Amino acid sequence: MVLNDRTLGVAALLLSAFLAWFGHGLEAAFTYEPVGPRAFPLLLATVIGLCGLRLVVKGGNPAAPNPPGANSRIALMVALLLVYAGLFQWAGFVLATAVVSACVGRLFGGSWLQCGIGGTSLSVLFYVLFDRLLDVVLPLGWLEGLL
Amino acid sequence: MSAMLDNLSLGFGVAFSGTNLLVALIGSFFGTIVGVLPGLGPTNGVAMLVPIAFAMGLPPDTALILLAAVYVGAEYGGRITSILINVPGEAAAVMTTLDGYPLARQGLGSVALSLSAWSSFVGSLIAIVGIAAFAPFLAQWALAFGPAEYFVLMVFAFCALTSLLGEQPIKGVLAAAIGLSIATIGVDANSGVYRYTFDIPHLADGLDFVVVVIGLFAVAEMLQMLENKLSGQSVEVPPSQRKLFNLRELRLTSGSTIRGSLLGFVMGVLPGAGASVASAVAYANEKRYIEDKDPDAKFGQGDMRGLAAPEAANNSAATGSFIPMLTLGIPGSGTTAVMMGALTLYNITPGPVLFEQQPALVWGLIASLLIANMMLLVMNIPMVRVFASMLSIPGWLLVPGILAISFIGVYAISATTFDLMAVVAIGVIGYLLRKLQMPMAPMVLGVVLGTMMEQNLRRALSITNGDVTILWASTVCTILWVLAAAVVLGPMGYRQLAKRRRAQETAP
């Protein structure tokens, strides 16, 4: 798929339709004000729709293509981020951060040894800094019994 | 004049006590750290300290000085990650990314850090002088702003923002509208209707600003960094050759700093407008002003004037927002709202009589704002070295570090996996939108201002029972509409004119 202003325009039109479709049914059971909860979203849907229309008609401005092999790496990075999001609370901050940091570090050119040591120290350091010193409570997850 | 000096000397008497000085120092340092962390902003910092200050039994003036120092410190700290890793530490620092990060990529990270510390200082200084001179007078003026005026002011802010996008203002409008739509997610405060929540309980409170900003900036930036690395560009920002700005740079930016400060102060005084609007308007204003005069200006690619103006404006606005809080009892920003809450813990009600009843408290606060600012400047210039050393961290360690800090920031808000997943999704969308050259700043501003903008529109229309003429009935509204139109149409007309002139020149 080519990314250009026309793609963006189509996406904007879809978003506008989505906002309008779910927005027109928004009504308060009783209200004391002349403008209800749906006016503002519908106004925005109109603006987004008009912008989308303009972009579709005008077109142009194709995005620079990614270098070969980049898309799969970027997809891998997104997958790692989702794994991190999933593990964060369940497995705990320290474990999730150590593992995911090591893998992300690999994508950015570190060796396994560097990334392993880096990820582990990062997770411990941040845990002590935020949870213990700054009072930002982080989940312990699987390590709950140990620490 | 002599009354002002009397008041200030009373204030400095309070601020220069040993405890209050120490408290200002601790507050500014803690505030800087809070400001650096994306996700934790001045409001969180102040909110964290209110119960601690109260529990420690600090007297009201000392407590207020502590909270004010945290506030100012966080406004300083917010710019550090904006400049170094393109992730704004808090909402008002979004504009700082536009020129600050390109400067860092050109190897001028430390220069940008020290210069922005200086313009922040000047911004606060001008606002403090402004408070001392005009507080009661300005408070009266701000009272003239009703909901209709606020709505039009925000329309003006968006117009000013989209005009700074140069060739493709349509994408700016689209971005702002998307941001505003994101802000409509959640329970409608007026009617209790659930909007766009699709029965997902996590969406009842809407998407938090931090979730959006971390997604659009931090996650999208990491994906962009990966792409750059694979296409052979370096991931790391080069270390700075110089640590401090020089005299030439100081002279170049001084006009921008002063214009930004004055504008920021006026915006700060308006209750509700706050530092984010101020920095956006100041940037847009400065870009247009400079580009008309100087064809070599490189706004958006690392122009120091584009860094100085919004930084001066956001600190000036933050300081100026104390005026409506102290004189009218209307908080000028989210943070001053929290501080007002703290004052009520001490049975002090801010309002028109506070200046007369509690002069020591008010002027002590004003004086200690000045002292906190000086401490921050002194603290920040040597610390530039420490912050800038973040830049020599290799990509394989830097990116996981940014990732972990971002996720901690998001998790700290609501402690749910849902928000973390949402951040990743928004980040992927943000990455694609960036590839299509969509500007992120109007979108973020839309998320920040959306609720306020809608509320003011609805309140204004409630007054007239649905008659929209209220939106241009008052003089202030009319002036703001004219300014908004000028800001949008001016550059368009200018471009047309330039095109025609060029066509004439090339024609035989």
Side-chain angles (χ1 to χ4, degrees), chain A residues 4-5 18-19 23 26 33-35 37 40-41 61 63-64 66 74 77 81 84-85 88-89 105 108 114 139, chain B residues 168 171 188 190 194-196 198 223 227 229-230 396 403 407 411 415 417 420 431 435-436 454 458 461-462 466:
Chain A
N4 56 26
D5 278 3
F18 172 86
L19 287 174
L26 294 171
E33 50 164 12
V35 180
F40 198 64
N61 285 318
N66 280 350
I74 290 170
M77 174 81 175
L81 292 173
Y84 190 33
F88 198 88
Q89 194 166 30
F108 280 86
Q114 283 173 329
Chain B
Q168 290 188 298
K171 288 185 180 171
D188 171 39
N190 293 27
Y194 284 74
R195 298 195 290 188
Y196 305 111
F198 306 105
L223 297 177
E227 184 197 318
K229 183 180 165 51
L230 295 169
W396 57 263
L403 176 62
F407 270 46
Y411 189 81
T417 303
L420 296 176
Y431 168 70
K435 285 193 79 78
L436 290 163
E454 185 185 1
R458 285 164 74 170
L461 293 178
S462 289

Side-chain angles (χ1 to χ4, degrees), chain B residues 192-329:
Chain B
V193 170
Y194 284 74
R195 298 195 290 188
Y196 305 111
T197 53
F198 306 105
D199 294 332
I200 300 167
H202 296 295
L203 285 179
D205 288 335
L207 274 181
D208 196 277
F209 157 75
V210 173
V211 173
V212 179
V213 90
I214 298 271
L216 288 183
F217 284 88
V219 174
E221 180 70 28
M222 283 184 269
L223 297 177
Q224 182 70 52
M225 283 167 134
L226 183 60
E227 184 197 318
N228 289 350
K229 183 180 165 51
L230 295 169
S231 55
Q233 296 172 38
S234 88
V235 177
E236 291 101 28
V237 172
S240 296
Q241 300 103 9
R242 267 189 297 136
K243 297 295 169 213
L244 277 180
F245 56 88
N246 57 30
L247 205 62
R248 197 184 60 77
E249 287 155 350
L250 186 69
R251 226 177 292 139
L252 176 75
T253 54
S254 59
S256 309
T257 303
I258 290 173
R259 277 188 294 276
S261 311
L262 294 175
L263 199 93
F265 178 63
V266 174
M267 306 284 285
V269 174
L270 298 172
S276 345
V277 187
S279 59
V281 174
Y283 185 89
N285 184 53
E286 200 57 30
K287 181 175 192 279
R288 186 152 342 92
Y289 181 79
I290 298 286
E291 281 182 345
D292 278 353
K293 298 184 157 183
D294 178 6
D296 297 333
K298 288 200 220 49
F299 277 77
Q301 297 159 41
D303 196 302
M304 296 200 178
R305 291 164 292 192
L307 173 73
E311 267 308 315
N314 88 39
N315 280 60
S316 177
T319 311
S321 67
F322 279 98
I323 289 187
M325 179 193 107
L326 291 172
T327 56
L328 300 174

Side-chain angles (χ1 to χ4, degrees), chain A:
Chain A
M1 191 180 70
V2 193
L3 282 179
N4 56 26
D5 278 3
R6 196 155 285 148
T7 337
L8 181 63
V10 172
L13 284 175
L14 288 175
L15 176 67
S16 161
F18 172 86
L19 287 174
W21 179 259
F22 288 99
H24 83 278
L26 294 171
E27 259 179 288
F30 64 91
T31 178
Y32 50 88
E33 50 164 12
V35 180
R38 70 175 175 184
F40 198 64
L42 289 183
L43 180 73
L44 294 172
T46 314
V47 174
I48 294 173
L50 288 175
C51 292
L53 213 56
R54 169 95 178 118
L55 288 167
V56 167
V57 172
K58 201 163 170 245
N61 285 318
N66 280 350
N71 287 345
S72 57
R73 299 276 194 101
I74 290 170
L76 183 59
M77 174 81 175
V78 174
L80 280 172
L81 292 173
L82 287 172
V83 168
Y84 190 33
L87 286 180
F88 198 88
Q89 194 166 30
W90 182 52
F93 171 78
V94 179
L95 278 181
T97 305
V99 172
V100 175
S101 290
C103 299
V104 170
R106 278 289 293 168
L107 276 178
F108 280 86
S111 70
W112 273 119
L113 185 69
Q114 283 173 329
C115 295
I117 296 173
T120 313
S121 11
L122 206 66
S123 62
V124 175
L125 183 78
F126 280 167
Y127 182 79
V128 173
L129 178 70
F130 287 95
D131 191 281
R132 296 295 150 97
L133 296 178
L134 288 172
D135 230 13
V136 177
V137 180
L138 294 173
L140 269 175
W142 295 343
L143 296 179
E144 193 128 24
L146 295 168
L147 289 173

Side-chain angles (χ1 to χ4, degrees), chain B residues 330-415:
Chain B
I330 303 169
S333 63
T335 317
T336 41
V338 177
M339 292 179 74
M340 245 179 76
L343 278 179
T344 50
L345 282 181
Y346 287 98
N347 287 324
I348 296 169
T349 318
V353 290
L354 188 68
F355 271 79
E356 281 145 43
Q357 283 181 350
Q358 304 258 8
L361 178 90
V362 176
W363 293 101
L365 172 70
I366 293 170
S368 56
L369 279 174
L370 184 67
I371 293 172
N373 266 290
M374 286 178 177
M375 284 175 172
L376 280 161
L377 185 68
V378 174
M379 214 155 52
N380 266 270
I381 298 285
M383 262 157 70
V384 159
R385 209 177 280 269
V386 181
F387 295 132
S389 62
M390 278 169 70
L391 296 179
S392 48
I393 301 171
W396 57 263
L397 194 60
L398 180 68
V399 177
I402 299 174
L403 176 62
I405 290 189
S406 305
F407 270 46
I408 292 171
V410 172
Y411 189 81
I413 303 165
S414 58

